[in-house]
Amino acid sequence: MPKIAPSMLSADFLHLERDVEMVNGCADLFHLDIMDGVFVPNISYGFPVVEAIAAKAVLPLDAHLMIVNPEKYVERFAKAGASMISFHAETAEDPESLLTQIRSYGVKAGLAFNPDWPLEKVFPYLNSCDFVLLMSVFAGFGGQKFIPETWSRLAALKSEISRQGADCLIEVDGGVSPDNAARLSASGADILVAGSAVFRSPDPASTVFQLKNA
């Protein structure tokens, strides 16, 4: 059964505490999309919102940094309450060093990458990651459709993790819904990030349970 991480980017920010309590009651993680308007076209939210969610959250916070110069900010996100921090391979000059830095704060470290990033470039870091974040859409916007090429990338990533014997989970983010959750889990995904599918449904909590039990 995969862990479900609702993306708070799709939450109702006028009723954020209500949505945090909903996630507390039915999911496994809070997924926090941090966008800077540079690495990706959109700007999302920063430390005040992360700290506000952390104050009410009883589940771990998973911070996905879609920003340039992530090394400047990982310590602050750790102090703000993140239990997991991922950054994009495209943004780091020395991913190995940054993964080590994140872990030094007692936080799980992950490497994220877009659908057009060569998968082989991630393989050297699998034994240094607690998880890898396989984007099934391009980072920067919610509500995108799942990219079909993700299936072959997920299979290749799972195979390489097994080949290396790496203790590394696979998180999939983008276009996740009850329609593909079962196949994603069966294909090796350990964590499923879902934003629009959860928060735009008539019954978000029920949708989380559908994702979890698909």
Side-chain angles (χ1 to χ4, degrees):
M1 182 181 295
K3 291 184 177 181
I4 306 302
S7 171
M8 301 307 291
L9 184 67
S10 297
D12 182 349
F13 278 75
L14 286 178
H15 301 94
L16 186 57
E17 184 172 0
R18 178 202 65 191
D19 285 356
V20 168
E21 292 298 342
M22 182 277 295
V23 174
N24 276 334
C26 62
D28 302 287
L29 301 164
F30 287 88
H31 188 79
L32 308 180
D33 289 302
I34 311 300
M35 305 180 188
D36 64 359
V38 180
F39 177 63
V40 294
N42 272 344
I43 296 174
S44 58
Y45 47 80
F47 300 109
V49 173
V50 173
E51 290 165 351
I53 293 173
K56 295 294 183 179
V58 298
L59 302 174
L61 271 56
D62 169 25
H64 173 196
L65 307 187
M66 291 172 266
I67 64 176
V68 297
N69 305 125
E71 68 281 354
K72 294 182 178 180
Y73 301 100
V74 290
E75 183 176 9
R76 287 189 65 188
F77 278 107
K79 289 180 177 178
S83 299
M84 301 167 60
I85 297 175
S86 60
F87 61 92
H88 274 258
E90 303 97 310
T91 66
E93 291 185 8
D94 186 354
E96 184 81 39
S97 176
L98 188 48
L99 290 164
T100 300
Q101 181 184 346
I102 292 170
R103 283 176 146 178
S104 75
Y105 306 130
V107 173
K108 292 183 178 178
L111 196 60
F113 43 96
N114 271 314
D116 59 351
W117 186 255
L119 199 59
E120 295 75 14
K121 289 189 175 183
V122 178
F123 292 171
Y125 305 106
L126 292 177
N127 278 289
S128 300
C129 294
D130 295 297
F131 65 103
V132 286
L133 177 49
L134 176 66
M135 295 298 299
S136 41
V137 300
F138 282 91
F141 295 93
Q144 298 180 65
K145 291 184 178 180
F146 185 90
I147 295 175
E149 287 77 13
T150 302
W151 296 115
S152 60
R153 285 167 65 83
L154 176 56
L157 180 58
K158 181 66 175 179
S159 176
E160 183 64 19
I161 289 173
S162 297
R163 190 190 71 80
Q164 293 189 23
D167 186 15
C168 178
L169 300 179
I170 299 176
E171 182 172 11
V172 176
D173 182 1
V176 173
S177 73
D179 294 332
N180 57 22
R183 183 178 173 186
L184 284 167
S185 179
S187 299
D190 303 290
I191 303 169
L192 301 179
V193 177
S196 301
V198 171
F199 289 104
R200 293 182 187 172
S201 73
D203 187 344
S206 176
T207 300
V208 171
F209 285 119
Q210 289 179 49
L211 290 164
K212 190 176 291 189
N213 296 297

